[in-house]
Amino acid sequence: MTAPILRRLADLRALTSDWQSTGQTIGVVPTMGALHQGHLSLVEAAKAGCDRVIVTIFVNPKQFNNPEDLAKYPRTENEDAQKLAPYGVDAIYVPEPEEIYPQGFATTVSVAGLTDVMEGEFRPGHFDGVATVVAKLFLQTQADRAYFGEKDYQQLMIVTRMARDLDIGTEVVGCPTVREPSGLAMSSRNLRLTPEGLEVAANKNRIMNDLASALQNGAEFGPLVKLAEADLLAAGFTQVEYIQLRSAETLEPLTHASRPARLFAAAWADGVRLIDNIPV
Ligand code: PAF
């Protein structure tokens, strides 16, 4: 059975107040729709960890720095509701835009430092949009726990810090990236790749894994970056925006994998911007 789709905050509040009054815990999986197995793994984690589960679907205009990217973002609400049906979620919250950004909305949530690098550098304003909408979704859903994929590792760190800094009582839970058999990280953006683009994109995980192995063997990161960039371009990527090694805890840049680290990359294939990261 498909879960009820709620478009109004008042209807959502009626449900969550009822659940809270009987001591039930609430889990939320915030999404922008175009659901894939990665999202569904978050729903599974939420079902296992909470009494009630809400999936939110809202294509958040404030986190798109490129209007064309926003216009092209896939919108597949009916298919999404069908995909969620077997999981027994309790509600799908698809807020009307004015429920999130009412007339005169004037507040921005901005997490300093963590938002300036990588995605923040290449997509100015993106993380202010993410932090603002996620703060609203946490407060609107009254969730005890919120589930995010490690695929967007920088986002995971930022929303964790935001919830802590603002004393929002939602615990942020990170879940492993789900990959295609080719190694390609699942992403709603993959829907825009042609079959040839998908083949090109699949090389990224292999190239990142090779780089991670060299780092694990003690290699210095700097000299390897140019080689990895050349490998990506040779595999058919059209542009490499960044390849970076950073601390898994603080996101500080590292020269060696001397402590728990993550390797991050953003590159374009087939007109689609693809990001990924792996632990080192
Ligand atoms: O990861 C996403 O899909 C979005 O950034 C999120 C967390 C739903 C906020 O719009």
Side-chain angles (χ1 to χ4, degrees):
M1 211 179 63
T2 55
I5 295 182
L6 309 178
R7 299 184 195 279
R8 292 290 169 198
L9 177 57
D11 297 332
L12 180 70
R13 280 273 160 83
L15 264 188
T16 54
S17 308
D18 191 34
W19 295 338
Q20 285 177 320
S21 69
T22 50
Q24 301 182 69
T25 54
I26 302 171
V28 65
V29 179
T31 82
M32 296 205 297
L35 302 184
H36 50 67
Q37 205 49 47
H39 296 113
L40 298 175
S41 74
L42 302 179
V43 171
E44 275 174 342
K47 287 286 294 179
C50 306
D51 300 318
R52 299 288 183 171
V53 173
I54 303 167
V55 174
T56 69
I57 299 179
F58 181 67
V59 181
N60 174 30
K62 284 201 191 292
Q63 69 186 76
F64 286 82
N65 53 315
N66 174 344
E68 199 189 329
D69 197 21
L70 172 62
K72 280 192 192 160
Y73 204 85
R75 287 155 173 90
T76 56
E77 186 183 309
N78 291 342
E79 290 93 319
D80 292 343
Q82 292 303 325
K83 284 183 191 163
L84 290 170
Y87 291 84
V89 304
D90 297 280
I92 306 174
Y93 181 48
V94 190
E96 296 294 350
E98 65 270 22
E99 295 291 3
I100 301 292
Y101 302 122
Q103 189 72 30
F105 186 85
T107 300
T108 298
V109 179
S110 190
V111 180
L114 289 175
T115 52
D116 298 340
V117 298
M118 296 192 291
E119 291 304 284
E121 189 183 337
F122 284 87
R123 302 181 66 190
H126 168 67
F127 283 126
D128 286 358
V130 170
T132 304
V133 81
V134 171
K136 288 216 58 155
L137 292 170
F138 284 4
L139 294 167
Q140 291 194 343
T141 58
Q142 299 284 300
D144 297 281
R145 293 192 196 91
Y147 295 79
F148 288 83
E150 287 182 347
K151 151 87 174 31
D152 295 301
Y153 193 84
Q154 191 176 4
Q155 167 173 280
L156 171 63
M157 305 289 280
I158 287 165
V159 296
T160 305
R161 178 71 59 82
M162 177 277 292
R164 235 180 257 161
D165 286 357
L166 297 182
D167 300 318
I168 298 179
T170 306
E171 179 196 348
V172 175
V173 182
C175 301
T177 303
V178 179
R179 296 182 182 279
E180 302 286 355
S182 67
L184 175 65
M186 289 199 185
S187 164
S188 305
R189 286 167 195 272
N190 296 354
L191 285 178
R192 284 162 45 195
L193 291 167
T194 60
E196 297 74 35
L198 274 169
E199 266 180 42
V200 171
N203 287 290
K204 189 158 177 213
N205 188 240
R206 174 183 56 76
I207 293 167
M208 289 178 75
N209 282 333
D210 289 350
L211 182 49
S213 304
L215 291 164
Q216 260 145 10
N217 290 331
E220 192 188 338
F221 179 58
L224 295 176
V225 177
K226 286 272 163 262
L227 293 175
E229 264 181 30
D231 283 349
L232 285 167
L233 295 172
F237 280 84
T238 50
Q239 191 193 342
V240 180
E241 284 188 351
Y242 61 79
I243 303 175
Q244 297 187 12
L245 180 70
R246 290 183 175 264
S247 155
E249 272 157 31
T250 62
L251 293 188
E252 280 167 80
L254 299 177
T255 56
H256 291 84
S258 47
R259 53 188 153 126
R262 287 193 91 98
L263 186 60
F264 295 86
W268 289 79
D270 202 15
V272 182
R273 185 174 185 278
L274 298 167
I275 61 169
D276 200 354
N277 71 89
I278 54 172
V280 181

